[in-house]
Amino acid sequence: MEQWLSLLNPSTGELTAILADNPTLERVLDCDEVLDAFKTENSQLMALLKKPETVKKLLSYIVTDAPPDASDEIRYKYPYLAAEILAYDSDIFFDILLSPDIKNILFSFLEREENIQPLYSHLICRILHTLIMQRTNDVMATLKERGTIPKLIKHLNCFPFCEFLYDIIVSTEQTTNPEGLVAWFRENGFIKLLLTEMKISTQPLVPSNIAQILNNLIGRFTVPDGENMFSQFFQPEESQLLLEIALDSSNPASQAASLSLLIDIVWNTRHQPQNEYLMPLDENIDPPPFICDCVLANMDKFIESLKGQPNGKGISNTQLKIIILYSTLIRSGYGHKIDEALLSNPLFKILVDLFFAHPNSSILHSEIYTIFEQGILMRGDEMRNVICVDSGLVAKVKETLLNEKKRRDRRALAPGTVPTDPNFQCSRSNDSSLDEPLPLLSHTLHLARIAQDAAATVTDLSKWLDDEWNNLYAEIVTPEMTHQESAGLPIQNSMDQMGDQQDMGDDELFGYTK
């Protein structure tokens, strides 16, 4: 029993003896019992820690760069213990941390021009998080008085500072209101500061960290009020700067991050029908001005970025982001202006080429498939014709199905194999002629089914959906669909079921239903 009690009530005998000897702070921190004694607010220990000179010394372990030959205690142990103590959620240290001298030490760390190590940024932000949550007005007044935020933005390669910036946003909203938050953004030029840093930074982590901060903000745009909220937070100058970054291929990391922001803005300002689980096309509703003036008006420039990757290279992050942007646009619920922009350039031909040129990019296939599915099943006759016929999609699907049939025939004749049914997949033989890429069956089968369903409304498809097509469809597509149904796998909706599709983020994904 005594052993259990000793575990529940750790001994502070060693620490008591140390404290009775007028020790240095380092000697106290070296004691293994110090944290347990601190959490139980040992009176002798608290008397030492509450001294302003002790708090200043604790902060110095974090904000002062340790020399290269410093011990592990100086470099790691003491800074960690200092953060554990000063981030303690208690009024014990708040007044001391906000006293003029110590406050200057604390906030000067955020304003440094030289790089800050991520470990120490994490420790200082733990202290600041507790402080801003408990003494919001004092911290916000200090940030404004010192002009700290523009200097802090220079250190966004350290993610803890991104989290602290978001703490500032949350605290501002809680102490004012949404209107007060908008006013704070405009007063500080916050979005312009972030986008400018995203544009000029040469550090690869900065654009993605800034995008995450702004994505958290954009996530607050709620349909159907997203357009109004966007116009409040993003001024025309800031919207134009975001577009400029998205079109600048000289900094791929910044370009990809800005495209992520555009995708989120389009999705959170989409048209919201009365039934939130339906995605009907509303021809009478135009996209918000930002989408029309910045995204749709620059469609040709985005198309050029899609063509930019050299042959033989994998799909780039920028290309993938642009495709996701198109996928989001076509699901936005807006009408003819979206169609006009998508049909005014060779987009669908490029997408067909990319789809079949990158057989191992599942995300690419899923997004392009979504564009084709929505375009064929939810949009007008002109878009169906362009996707199915003019872009060469159905011709490519037919070619792929024919290659699959030839591949299966060769495998059935390979030495050592015993063919059973048309779907039999034998192992590779020593015949080098069989060493070929695997077929694109994952989404090609579903594209074939969409084309079959679209034949009733796309008259030009008749020359492609001939007897050869019908034989391929019966031999390859139908057995695969039957197998999926029998195995309980998700099956793509047919045209007459598309009205029952659910919105993105529910149980529907890329045209499949559970």
Side-chain angles (χ1 to χ4, degrees), residues 29-30 45 77 111 129 139 156 172-173 290 339 363 368 389 401 428 435 442 449 490 494 513:
L29 295 178
D30 283 333
L45 178 62
K77 182 178 180 179
E111 301 163 3
H129 172 78
V139 174
L156 292 186
T172 302
E173 186 176 30
F290 170 76
D339 290 358
I363 298 177
I368 294 180
V389 181
L401 294 177
R428 291 191 181 275
D435 294 332
S442 174
R449 183 170 180 175
S494 61
T513 55

PDB file of all heavy atoms in Angstrom, residues 29-30 45 77 111 129 139 156 172-173 290 339 363 368 389 401 428 435 442 449 490 494 513:
ATOM      1  N   LEU A  29      16.036  23.168 -11.392  1.00  0.00           N
ATOM      2  CA  LEU A  29      15.502  22.532 -12.605  1.00  0.00           C
ATOM      3  C   LEU A  29      16.113  21.158 -12.844  1.00  0.00           C
ATOM      4  O   LEU A  29      15.503  20.313 -13.517  1.00  0.00           O
ATOM      5  CB  LEU A  29      15.748  23.433 -13.816  1.00  0.00           C
ATOM      6  CG  LEU A  29      15.022  24.788 -13.812  1.00  0.00           C
ATOM      7  CD1 LEU A  29      15.401  25.601 -15.042  1.00  0.00           C
ATOM      8  CD2 LEU A  29      13.517  24.609 -13.725  1.00  0.00           C
ATOM      9  N   ASP A  30      17.307  20.933 -12.346  1.00  0.00           N
ATOM     10  CA  ASP A  30      17.936  19.619 -12.504  1.00  0.00           C
ATOM     11  C   ASP A  30      17.288  18.553 -11.625  1.00  0.00           C
ATOM     12  O   ASP A  30      17.500  17.350 -11.848  1.00  0.00           O
ATOM     13  CB  ASP A  30      19.428  19.704 -12.171  1.00  0.00           C
ATOM     14  CG  ASP A  30      20.231  20.349 -13.300  1.00  0.00           C
ATOM     15  OD1 ASP A  30      19.774  20.247 -14.460  1.00  0.00           O
ATOM     16  OD2 ASP A  30      21.270  20.966 -13.013  1.00  0.00           O
ATOM     17  N   LEU A  45       8.696  26.182  -3.666  1.00  0.00           N
ATOM     18  CA  LEU A  45       9.062  26.296  -5.070  1.00  0.00           C
ATOM     19  C   LEU A  45       8.376  27.506  -5.712  1.00  0.00           C
ATOM     20  O   LEU A  45       9.005  28.273  -6.452  1.00  0.00           O
ATOM     21  CB  LEU A  45       8.671  25.013  -5.824  1.00  0.00           C
ATOM     22  CG  LEU A  45       8.940  25.006  -7.328  1.00  0.00           C
ATOM     23  CD1 LEU A  45      10.440  25.165  -7.605  1.00  0.00           C
ATOM     24  CD2 LEU A  45       8.406  23.726  -7.963  1.00  0.00           C
ATOM     25  N   LYS A  77      16.611  20.814 -22.119  1.00  0.00           N
ATOM     26  CA  LYS A  77      15.882  20.554 -20.874  1.00  0.00           C
ATOM     27  C   LYS A  77      15.360  21.835 -20.244  1.00  0.00           C
ATOM     28  O   LYS A  77      14.157  21.929 -19.928  1.00  0.00           O
ATOM     29  CB  LYS A  77      16.784  19.809 -19.885  1.00  0.00           C
ATOM     30  CG  LYS A  77      16.078  19.469 -18.572  1.00  0.00           C
ATOM     31  CD  LYS A  77      16.990  18.694 -17.633  1.00  0.00           C
ATOM     32  CE  LYS A  77      16.262  18.369 -16.329  1.00  0.00           C
ATOM     33  NZ  LYS A  77      17.123  17.580 -15.409  1.00  0.00           N
ATOM     34  N   GLU A 111       9.788  39.455 -32.896  1.00  0.00           N
ATOM     35  CA  GLU A 111      10.139  40.540 -33.815  1.00  0.00           C
ATOM     36  C   GLU A 111      11.560  40.435 -34.345  1.00  0.00           C
ATOM     37  O   GLU A 111      12.046  41.347 -35.024  1.00  0.00           O
ATOM     38  CB  GLU A 111       9.947  41.880 -33.096  1.00  0.00           C
ATOM     39  CG  GLU A 111       8.509  42.087 -32.604  1.00  0.00           C
ATOM     40  CD  GLU A 111       8.399  43.176 -31.555  1.00  0.00           C
ATOM     41  OE1 GLU A 111       9.437  43.819 -31.248  1.00  0.00           O
ATOM     42  OE2 GLU A 111       7.290  43.391 -31.013  1.00  0.00           O
ATOM     43  N   HIS A 129       0.035  31.390 -26.200  1.00  0.00           N
ATOM     44  CA  HIS A 129      -1.337  30.867 -26.349  1.00  0.00           C
ATOM     45  C   HIS A 129      -2.105  31.009 -25.039  1.00  0.00           C
ATOM     46  O   HIS A 129      -3.244  31.499 -25.019  1.00  0.00           O
ATOM     47  CB  HIS A 129      -1.293  29.404 -26.785  1.00  0.00           C
ATOM     48  CG  HIS A 129      -2.645  28.746 -26.776  1.00  0.00           C
ATOM     49  ND1 HIS A 129      -3.577  28.950 -27.771  1.00  0.00           N
ATOM     50  CD2 HIS A 129      -3.225  27.902 -25.874  1.00  0.00           C
ATOM     51  CE1 HIS A 129      -4.678  28.251 -27.492  1.00  0.00           C
ATOM     52  NE2 HIS A 129      -4.482  27.615 -26.351  1.00  0.00           N
ATOM     53  N   VAL A 139      -2.772  41.522 -24.445  1.00  0.00           N
ATOM     54  CA  VAL A 139      -1.885  41.024 -25.501  1.00  0.00           C
ATOM     55  C   VAL A 139      -2.157  41.751 -26.811  1.00  0.00           C
ATOM     56  O   VAL A 139      -1.224  42.163 -27.526  1.00  0.00           O
ATOM     57  CB  VAL A 139      -2.047  39.505 -25.667  1.00  0.00           C
ATOM     58  CG1 VAL A 139      -1.245  39.005 -26.870  1.00  0.00           C
ATOM     59  CG2 VAL A 139      -1.588  38.775 -24.410  1.00  0.00           C
ATOM     60  N   LEU A 156       6.896  32.849 -40.753  1.00  0.00           N
ATOM     61  CA  LEU A 156       5.862  31.831 -40.929  1.00  0.00           C
ATOM     62  C   LEU A 156       6.394  30.525 -41.499  1.00  0.00           C
ATOM     63  O   LEU A 156       5.628  29.636 -41.826  1.00  0.00           O
ATOM     64  CB  LEU A 156       4.737  32.382 -41.815  1.00  0.00           C
ATOM     65  CG  LEU A 156       3.922  33.510 -41.166  1.00  0.00           C
ATOM     66  CD1 LEU A 156       2.748  33.882 -42.045  1.00  0.00           C
ATOM     67  CD2 LEU A 156       3.444  33.125 -39.776  1.00  0.00           C
ATOM     68  N   THR A 172      -9.593  38.035 -31.434  1.00  0.00           N
ATOM     69  CA  THR A 172     -10.190  39.291 -31.913  1.00  0.00           C
ATOM     70  C   THR A 172     -11.688  39.128 -32.122  1.00  0.00           C
ATOM     71  O   THR A 172     -12.484  39.993 -31.739  1.00  0.00           O
ATOM     72  CB  THR A 172      -9.521  39.734 -33.226  1.00  0.00           C
ATOM     73  OG1 THR A 172      -8.124  39.896 -33.006  1.00  0.00           O
ATOM     74  CG2 THR A 172     -10.111  41.032 -33.730  1.00  0.00           C
ATOM     75  N   GLU A 173     -12.066  38.018 -32.736  1.00  0.00           N
ATOM     76  CA  GLU A 173     -13.495  37.789 -32.986  1.00  0.00           C
ATOM     77  C   GLU A 173     -14.270  37.612 -31.685  1.00  0.00           C
ATOM     78  O   GLU A 173     -15.404  38.087 -31.546  1.00  0.00           O
ATOM     79  CB  GLU A 173     -13.683  36.567 -33.886  1.00  0.00           C
ATOM     80  CG  GLU A 173     -15.125  36.340 -34.304  1.00  0.00           C
ATOM     81  CD  GLU A 173     -15.268  35.197 -35.274  1.00  0.00           C
ATOM     82  OE1 GLU A 173     -14.449  34.251 -35.207  1.00  0.00           O
ATOM     83  OE2 GLU A 173     -16.183  35.235 -36.106  1.00  0.00           O
ATOM     84  N   PHE A 290     -15.999  37.920 -58.211  1.00  0.00           N
ATOM     85  CA  PHE A 290     -14.605  37.493 -58.127  1.00  0.00           C
ATOM     86  C   PHE A 290     -14.341  36.314 -59.057  1.00  0.00           C
ATOM     87  O   PHE A 290     -13.316  36.260 -59.752  1.00  0.00           O
ATOM     88  CB  PHE A 290     -14.262  37.109 -56.696  1.00  0.00           C
ATOM     89  CG  PHE A 290     -12.922  36.435 -56.557  1.00  0.00           C
ATOM     90  CD1 PHE A 290     -11.756  37.167 -56.621  1.00  0.00           C
ATOM     91  CD2 PHE A 290     -12.826  35.056 -56.403  1.00  0.00           C
ATOM     92  CE1 PHE A 290     -10.518  36.557 -56.517  1.00  0.00           C
ATOM     93  CE2 PHE A 290     -11.595  34.434 -56.297  1.00  0.00           C
ATOM     94  CZ  PHE A 290     -10.446  35.186 -56.357  1.00  0.00           C
ATOM     95  N   ASP A 339     -20.162  27.339 -68.213  1.00  0.00           N
ATOM     96  CA  ASP A 339     -20.087  26.557 -69.442  1.00  0.00           C
ATOM     97  C   ASP A 339     -19.331  27.309 -70.533  1.00  0.00           C
ATOM     98  O   ASP A 339     -18.486  26.741 -71.233  1.00  0.00           O
ATOM     99  CB  ASP A 339     -21.496  26.208 -69.930  1.00  0.00           C
ATOM    100  CG  ASP A 339     -22.178  25.192 -69.031  1.00  0.00           C
ATOM    101  OD1 ASP A 339     -21.537  24.745 -68.068  1.00  0.00           O
ATOM    102  OD2 ASP A 339     -23.357  24.859 -69.281  1.00  0.00           O
ATOM    103  N   ILE A 363      -5.385  10.414 -58.029  1.00  0.00           N
ATOM    104  CA  ILE A 363      -6.065  11.676 -57.718  1.00  0.00           C
ATOM    105  C   ILE A 363      -6.404  12.405 -59.010  1.00  0.00           C
ATOM    106  O   ILE A 363      -7.513  12.938 -59.172  1.00  0.00           O
ATOM    107  CB  ILE A 363      -5.191  12.551 -56.810  1.00  0.00           C
ATOM    108  CG1 ILE A 363      -4.930  11.853 -55.467  1.00  0.00           C
ATOM    109  CG2 ILE A 363      -5.846  13.904 -56.570  1.00  0.00           C
ATOM    110  CD1 ILE A 363      -4.022  12.631 -54.541  1.00  0.00           C
ATOM    111  N   ILE A 368     -10.441  14.390 -62.886  1.00  0.00           N
ATOM    112  CA  ILE A 368     -10.841  14.509 -64.292  1.00  0.00           C
ATOM    113  C   ILE A 368     -12.129  13.741 -64.534  1.00  0.00           C
ATOM    114  O   ILE A 368     -13.023  14.203 -65.256  1.00  0.00           O
ATOM    115  CB  ILE A 368      -9.711  14.028 -65.221  1.00  0.00           C
ATOM    116  CG1 ILE A 368      -8.501  14.965 -65.111  1.00  0.00           C
ATOM    117  CG2 ILE A 368     -10.194  13.960 -66.659  1.00  0.00           C
ATOM    118  CD1 ILE A 368      -7.324  14.574 -65.992  1.00  0.00           C
ATOM    119  N   VAL A 389     -17.156  13.673 -77.904  1.00  0.00           N
ATOM    120  CA  VAL A 389     -16.726  13.507 -79.290  1.00  0.00           C
ATOM    121  C   VAL A 389     -15.528  14.390 -79.619  1.00  0.00           C
ATOM    122  O   VAL A 389     -14.463  13.901 -79.997  1.00  0.00           O
ATOM    123  CB  VAL A 389     -17.898  13.808 -80.255  1.00  0.00           C
ATOM    124  CG1 VAL A 389     -17.440  13.615 -81.702  1.00  0.00           C
ATOM    125  CG2 VAL A 389     -19.083  12.906 -79.949  1.00  0.00           C
ATOM    126  N   LEU A 401     -10.321   0.024 -74.113  1.00  0.00           N
ATOM    127  CA  LEU A 401     -11.044  -1.245 -73.982  1.00  0.00           C
ATOM    128  C   LEU A 401     -10.527  -2.267 -74.993  1.00  0.00           C
ATOM    129  O   LEU A 401     -10.396  -3.461 -74.676  1.00  0.00           O
ATOM    130  CB  LEU A 401     -12.545  -1.022 -74.169  1.00  0.00           C
ATOM    131  CG  LEU A 401     -13.258  -0.188 -73.099  1.00  0.00           C
ATOM    132  CD1 LEU A 401     -14.717   0.015 -73.469  1.00  0.00           C
ATOM    133  CD2 LEU A 401     -13.147  -0.837 -71.726  1.00  0.00           C
ATOM    134  N   ARG A 428       2.465 -12.820 -64.751  1.00  0.00           N
ATOM    135  CA  ARG A 428       3.316 -12.551 -65.913  1.00  0.00           C
ATOM    136  C   ARG A 428       4.184 -13.771 -66.245  1.00  0.00           C
ATOM    137  O   ARG A 428       4.692 -14.442 -65.355  1.00  0.00           O
ATOM    138  CB  ARG A 428       4.206 -11.344 -65.657  1.00  0.00           C
ATOM    139  CG  ARG A 428       3.429 -10.034 -65.591  1.00  0.00           C
ATOM    140  CD  ARG A 428       4.405  -8.870 -65.600  1.00  0.00           C
ATOM    141  NE  ARG A 428       3.694  -7.610 -65.524  1.00  0.00           N
ATOM    142  CZ  ARG A 428       3.201  -6.984 -66.581  1.00  0.00           C
ATOM    143  NH1 ARG A 428       3.321  -7.529 -67.772  1.00  0.00           N
ATOM    144  NH2 ARG A 428       2.579  -5.825 -66.453  1.00  0.00           N
ATOM    145  N   ASP A 435       5.158  -7.568 -70.978  1.00  0.00           N
ATOM    146  CA  ASP A 435       5.594  -6.542 -70.030  1.00  0.00           C
ATOM    147  C   ASP A 435       5.122  -5.168 -70.505  1.00  0.00           C
ATOM    148  O   ASP A 435       5.860  -4.398 -71.104  1.00  0.00           O
ATOM    149  CB  ASP A 435       7.118  -6.543 -69.898  1.00  0.00           C
ATOM    150  CG  ASP A 435       7.610  -7.825 -69.256  1.00  0.00           C
ATOM    151  OD1 ASP A 435       6.845  -8.406 -68.477  1.00  0.00           O
ATOM    152  OD2 ASP A 435       8.743  -8.222 -69.564  1.00  0.00           O
ATOM    153  N   SER A 442      -9.663   1.543 -63.848  1.00  0.00           N
ATOM    154  CA  SER A 442     -10.285   2.076 -62.644  1.00  0.00           C
ATOM    155  C   SER A 442     -11.435   3.023 -62.962  1.00  0.00           C
ATOM    156  O   SER A 442     -12.547   2.845 -62.485  1.00  0.00           O
ATOM    157  CB  SER A 442      -9.231   2.806 -61.802  1.00  0.00           C
ATOM    158  OG  SER A 442      -9.826   3.453 -60.709  1.00  0.00           O
ATOM    159  N   ARG A 449     -19.387   3.547 -69.248  1.00  0.00           N
ATOM    160  CA  ARG A 449     -20.794   3.469 -68.879  1.00  0.00           C
ATOM    161  C   ARG A 449     -21.487   4.821 -69.071  1.00  0.00           C
ATOM    162  O   ARG A 449     -22.626   4.887 -69.522  1.00  0.00           O
ATOM    163  CB  ARG A 449     -20.924   3.021 -67.426  1.00  0.00           C
ATOM    164  CG  ARG A 449     -22.370   2.832 -66.983  1.00  0.00           C
ATOM    165  CD  ARG A 449     -22.445   2.154 -65.636  1.00  0.00           C
ATOM    166  NE  ARG A 449     -23.839   1.980 -65.234  1.00  0.00           N
ATOM    167  CZ  ARG A 449     -24.218   1.340 -64.142  1.00  0.00           C
ATOM    168  NH1 ARG A 449     -23.303   0.813 -63.351  1.00  0.00           N
ATOM    169  NH2 ARG A 449     -25.485   1.216 -63.837  1.00  0.00           N
ATOM    170  N   PRO A 490     -19.177   0.032 -54.635  1.00  0.00           N
ATOM    171  CA  PRO A 490     -19.982   1.166 -55.109  1.00  0.00           C
ATOM    172  C   PRO A 490     -20.059   1.192 -56.616  1.00  0.00           C
ATOM    173  O   PRO A 490     -19.066   0.968 -57.308  1.00  0.00           O
ATOM    174  CB  PRO A 490     -19.234   2.381 -54.568  1.00  0.00           C
ATOM    175  CG  PRO A 490     -17.841   1.917 -54.335  1.00  0.00           C
ATOM    176  CD  PRO A 490     -17.949   0.469 -53.956  1.00  0.00           C
ATOM    177  N   SER A 494     -26.385   6.059 -62.936  1.00  0.00           N
ATOM    178  CA  SER A 494     -26.712   6.289 -64.334  1.00  0.00           C
ATOM    179  C   SER A 494     -27.318   7.672 -64.482  1.00  0.00           C
ATOM    180  O   SER A 494     -27.568   8.359 -63.507  1.00  0.00           O
ATOM    181  CB  SER A 494     -27.704   5.232 -64.823  1.00  0.00           C
ATOM    182  OG  SER A 494     -28.894   5.328 -64.066  1.00  0.00           O
ATOM    183  N   THR A 513     -22.001   6.049 -55.295  1.00  0.00           N
ATOM    184  CA  THR A 513     -22.822   6.098 -54.087  1.00  0.00           C
ATOM    185  C   THR A 513     -22.657   4.808 -53.327  1.00  0.00           C
ATOM    186  O   THR A 513     -22.406   3.757 -53.899  1.00  0.00           O
ATOM    187  CB  THR A 513     -24.318   6.290 -54.416  1.00  0.00           C
ATOM    188  OG1 THR A 513     -24.718   5.255 -55.314  1.00  0.00           O
ATOM    189  CG2 THR A 513     -24.567   7.643 -55.051  1.00  0.00           C
TER     190      THR A 513
END
